[in-house]
Amino acid sequence: MKLTKKAASFIVLSALLTVALTGCQSSEATSPATGQNTANEQNTGEGATNATAPASGSSEEKGTEAIKEGSMEKEGNVVLKELAFVYNENTIAISDTANEDQMEQMLGKPDNLKSHTYSADDGTNMDNLIGFTEKVYTYPGLEIKTISIPKGKQDSIFHIEITDPKYATVRNIKAGDSLDTLKNAYPEGKLLGDGAPDEEDDFRYEPSNYVDVMSFHIKDAKVESIQIFSLLD
């Protein structure tokens, strides 16, 4: 009888120890999982921060307004888009940068393209332009000249001549328009020779810097041609 009680006590004690050990093992098994979840949450937080950084930079880039051709101001508050013409929704102005690819995109392939780099012995006597390269783009009723400053600077437009009415100024004046229409569009301009309506004259729109000029050649009281140019130093 005594042996039976001892045996029963031993079985109960063994069962209690087994339960206790099982509880400890379960507690130890769950601890690393909890720690791993915390680390994952931290990593997730760091990943989110890193993921939002490029987005912020992208929004800044989207908010930056691109500078369009003919929209930049020069010294003396001269707005260059006034000294410009419009073709196929492209505004092309004096001092705009324009290489051969850009010219072709805006105006199509020219009928003729000439290029000349000024030198001391080229016979032009243009010592102030030595090293500069001039390009002349010729289209039907339109001629555009660009000049590139030495040391890798981009080509920029310095002379435009228009004789075809499909190229209109930003104030919608084109070859063939009447002198009265021109005067209404450019009240700031004036006839240089004060000629009679049936005589030839030049009507000049000249901003205050006296460097950038728009000149309309008048014949038989109509606009025969338009020149937009910038005087080179």
Side-chain angles (χ1 to χ4, degrees), residues 77-186:
N77 296 323
V78 177
V79 181
L80 288 182
K81 66 181 179 181
E82 287 288 346
L83 300 172
F85 72 95
V86 180
Y87 180 70
N88 285 345
E89 299 183 355
N90 292 310
T91 302
I92 302 168
I94 287 297
S95 294
D96 279 347
T97 57
N99 58 31
E100 294 179 22
D101 290 337
Q102 291 169 324
M103 292 290 286
E104 187 167 341
Q105 289 174 6
M106 294 185 294
L107 297 166
K109 190 173 182 178
D111 289 355
N112 190 32
L113 172 58
K114 295 189 299 183
S115 179
H116 173 74
T117 300
Y118 289 94
S119 62
D121 57 355
D122 63 3
T124 62
N125 295 321
M126 300 291 286
D127 293 344
N128 58 318
L129 296 180
I130 291 176
F132 288 58
T133 298
E134 178 182 309
K135 293 179 182 178
V136 182
Y137 298 82
T138 303
Y139 300 87
L142 174 67
E143 183 180 86
I144 296 179
K145 296 180 181 180
T146 65
I147 195 84
S148 65
I149 300 173
K151 300 180 181 178
K153 294 295 181 68
Q154 286 185 310
D155 297 353
S156 61
I157 298 171
F158 77 95
H159 192 279
I160 300 168
E161 184 169 2
I162 301 169
T163 57
D164 192 312
K166 70 181 178 182
Y167 305 108
T169 71
V170 291
R171 297 191 191 182
N172 200 30
I173 294 297
K174 54 192 179 298
D177 283 344
S178 69
L179 178 58
D180 289 339
T181 302
L182 172 62
K183 287 180 176 179
N184 289 333
Y186 291 92

Side-chain angles (χ1 to χ4, degrees), residues 9 16 22 55 59 70 77 84 94 102 110 152 154 162 172 192 194 221 225:
S9 299
L16 291 174
T22 303
S59 64
N77 296 323
I94 287 297
Q102 291 169 324
Q154 286 185 310
I162 301 169
N172 200 30
L192 297 184
D194 295 325
S225 63

Side-chain angles (χ1 to χ4, degrees), residues 23-45:
C24 291
Q25 288 176 352
S26 298
S27 175
E28 289 175 357
T30 56
S31 295
T34 302
Q36 185 175 0
N37 289 338
T38 303
N40 287 338
E41 288 175 0
Q42 291 176 348
N43 289 337
T44 303

